[in-house]
Amino acid sequence: MSEESTQEPAAGPSALLEGQIRCEWCGWPFRPPKATGRKPRYCRRSCRQRAYEARQTRAEVDAALLLHAKGGKAGASPAPAVKASKLKGVEEPQLF
């Protein structure tokens, strides 16, 4: 006497219902607010912000690794040139 299971899959973070998409940051399913236009990539503003921060950190790490691979020093970026006209009344420091 075996009965076949007639249960439907649980509706949770692993199940997508019709019209839902997954957040690219947290993976939670959500329904886009509008039917027209570009589909949102994130379910909340906080997920969008965390993804932005992760991209920025990744870019900084990649730049540091590239600089290290080329034999440069981290933090050895050249100082921006300042025009003398912007330094009115400021004396140039004596180095020696």
Side-chain angles (χ1 to χ4, degrees):
M1 297 189 148
S2 64
E3 293 181 22
E4 291 183 28
S5 177
T6 59
Q7 294 178 347
E8 294 182 14
S14 61
L16 282 178
L17 299 176
E18 185 178 342
Q20 287 186 328
I21 56 177
R22 285 202 185 282
C23 177
E24 289 184 16
W25 179 250
C26 69
W28 196 260
F30 70 101
R31 187 174 309 278
K34 297 184 276 184
T36 60
R38 186 171 44 172
K39 300 277 190 238
R41 296 169 58 187
Y42 309 104
C43 61
R44 295 181 297 270
R45 287 187 297 175
S46 61
C47 286
R48 185 177 66 190
Q49 179 66 27
R50 298 294 93 73
Y52 169 78
E53 291 169 354
R55 285 192 307 272
Q56 297 305 309
T57 301
R58 179 64 189 200
E60 290 172 5
V61 169
D62 288 346
L65 290 174
L66 182 63
L67 184 63
H68 180 70
K70 290 183 176 182
K73 292 182 181 179
S77 61
V82 178
K83 293 184 178 180
S85 63
K86 291 191 175 193
L87 297 175
K88 292 179 184 176
V90 177
E91 295 180 20
E92 187 170 326
Q94 298 295 323
L95 299 177
F96 299 103

